[in-house]
């Protein structure tokens, strides 16, 4: 067997294995827009870089039929690949979004392990779903002392912010009025440049026929500014688009302030 053939066989097997894992990642763990919002790109790049690219290249370099120590060299390469595959798979599984939380003025996708599940006050939020998200509204405490305690714990003690504090979680529909108050009608949004205009136009074309009114709510991402497109009647999240809705939301809040 030539080194080229050995590398190609290695590439085909590696691509098949990684492709199977990524199918689960994209369809079950991070469906739709959740992949972009959750910052899952880094472990995926490690898996693809090591398993699909580096492994076959190293096989091409070291392979020579009858070479002493060839089995050891290949075993080392395979071990590194397996380690990268396990690292990526475990990281992606642990960080997969479980909750989609609306907190204050934006949405955040949160993994279950980032939340103290025992602190949840509503049984319907404790469901352990294999796919899909648990929609949640995180309500800022109305009691001034509790609110101040929360803010101080975040600012001075490094405690998690509201969107990761399960004791303040409540069913999504409880926050309907607050969510609508912070949503921007998609036709009232002023795009900053051609890219944002294209994103808005695509979202309108895809969803407006089936949804009477579309709104934009800022959402946090690891890499760029995004907004969640929601049905303003049902508050159902539809997709995420790369537009900066934060400035518009802030401007609206300033305008509404007496």
């Amino acid at each position: 067997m030539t080194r080229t053939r050995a590398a190609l066989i290695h590439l085909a097997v590696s691509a098949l294995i990684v492709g199977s894992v990524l199918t689960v990642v994209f369809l079950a763990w991070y469906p739709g827009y959740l992949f972009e919002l959750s910052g899952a790109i880094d472990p995926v790049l490690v898996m693809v870089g090591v398993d699909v690219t580096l492994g076959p290249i190293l096989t091409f370099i070291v392979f020579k039929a009858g070479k002493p120590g060839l089995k050891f060299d290949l075993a080392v390469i395979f071990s590194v690949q397996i380690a990268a595959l396990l690292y990526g798979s475990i990281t992606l599984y642990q960080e997969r979004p479980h909750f989609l939380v609306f907190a204050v003025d934006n949405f955040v996708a949160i993994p279950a392990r980032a939340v103290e599940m025992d602190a949840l006050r509503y049984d319907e939020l404790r469901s352990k779903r294999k796919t899909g998200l648990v929609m949640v509204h995180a309500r800022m405490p109305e009691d001034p002392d509790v609110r101040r305690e929360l803010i101080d714990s975040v600012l001075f003690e490094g405690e998690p912010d509201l969107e990761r504090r399960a004791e303040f979680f409540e069913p999504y529909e409880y926050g309907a009025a607050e969510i609508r108050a912070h949503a921007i009608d998609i036709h009232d949004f002023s795009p900053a440049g051609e890219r944002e205009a294209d994103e808005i136009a695509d979202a309108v074309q895809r969803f407006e026929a089936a949804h009477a009114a579309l709104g934009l709510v800022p959402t946090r991402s690891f890499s760029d500014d995004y907004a969640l497109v929601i049905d303003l009647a049902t508050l159902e999240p539809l997709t995420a688009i790369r537009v900066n809705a934060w400035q518009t939301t802030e401007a609206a809040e300033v305008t509404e302030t007496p």
Side-chain angles (χ1 to χ4, degrees), residues 172 179-180 183 207 210-216 228-239:
Y172 182 62
I179 296 168
R180 289 192 180 97
F207 298 108
H211 304 271
L214 300 176
L216 300 176
L228 211 60
V229 179
I230 66 171
D231 183 314
L232 287 175
T234 65
L235 299 182
E236 173 193 0
L238 302 173
T239 190

Side-chain angles (χ1 to χ4, degrees), residues 125-143:
L125 302 183
R126 299 178 185 273
S127 60
K128 296 182 179 180
R129 301 185 181 184
K130 294 182 179 179
T131 59
L133 290 171
V134 179
M135 302 293 295
V136 168
H137 174 247
R139 185 174 296 280
M140 182 65 76
E142 296 180 2
D143 185 301

Side-chain angles (χ1 to χ4, degrees), residues 41 63 66 79-81 98 103 123 129 141 146 149 171 175 183 201 204 214 231 235 240 243 250 253:
I41 186 65
F63 189 88
S79 297
V80 172
Q81 284 187 281
H98 180 82
D123 290 338
R129 301 185 181 184
V146 178
E149 182 181 346
V204 170
L214 300 176
D231 183 314
L235 299 182
V243 301
E250 292 167 359
E253 290 175 351

Side-chain angles (χ1 to χ4, degrees), residues 147-160 165:
R147 181 192 292 253
R148 184 164 48 252
E149 182 181 346
L150 169 64
I151 294 173
D152 288 347
S153 69
V154 173
L155 293 178
F156 304 115
E157 300 174 19
E159 293 294 323
R165 300 287 284 271

Side-chain angles (χ1 to χ4, degrees), residues 98-195:
H98 180 82
F99 295 104
L100 185 61
V101 184
F102 180 86
V104 183
D105 60 358
N106 67 99
F107 283 100
V108 191
I110 301 292
R113 76 185 195 94
V115 171
E116 188 179 347
M117 301 292 283
D118 291 340
L120 291 169
R121 297 177 293 127
Y122 297 86
D123 290 338
E124 58 263 46
L125 302 183
R126 299 178 185 273
S127 60
K128 296 182 179 180
R129 301 185 181 184
K130 294 182 179 179
T131 59
L133 290 171
V134 179
M135 302 293 295
V136 168
H137 174 247
R139 185 174 296 280
M140 182 65 76
E142 296 180 2
D143 185 301
D145 293 333
V146 178
R147 181 192 292 253
R148 184 164 48 252
E149 182 181 346
L150 169 64
I151 294 173
D152 288 347
S153 69
V154 173
L155 293 178
F156 304 115
E157 300 174 19
E159 293 294 323
D161 210 339
L162 180 66
E163 71 273 5
R164 295 172 183 263
R165 300 287 284 271
E167 63 268 32
F168 300 114
F169 286 7
E170 61 185 21
Y172 182 62
E173 59 271 19
Y174 289 15
E178 187 175 343
I179 296 168
R180 289 192 180 97
H182 287 89
I184 310 160
D185 188 289
I186 198 166
H187 294 291
D188 293 337
F189 178 77
S190 299
E194 184 177 348
R195 179 180 63 79

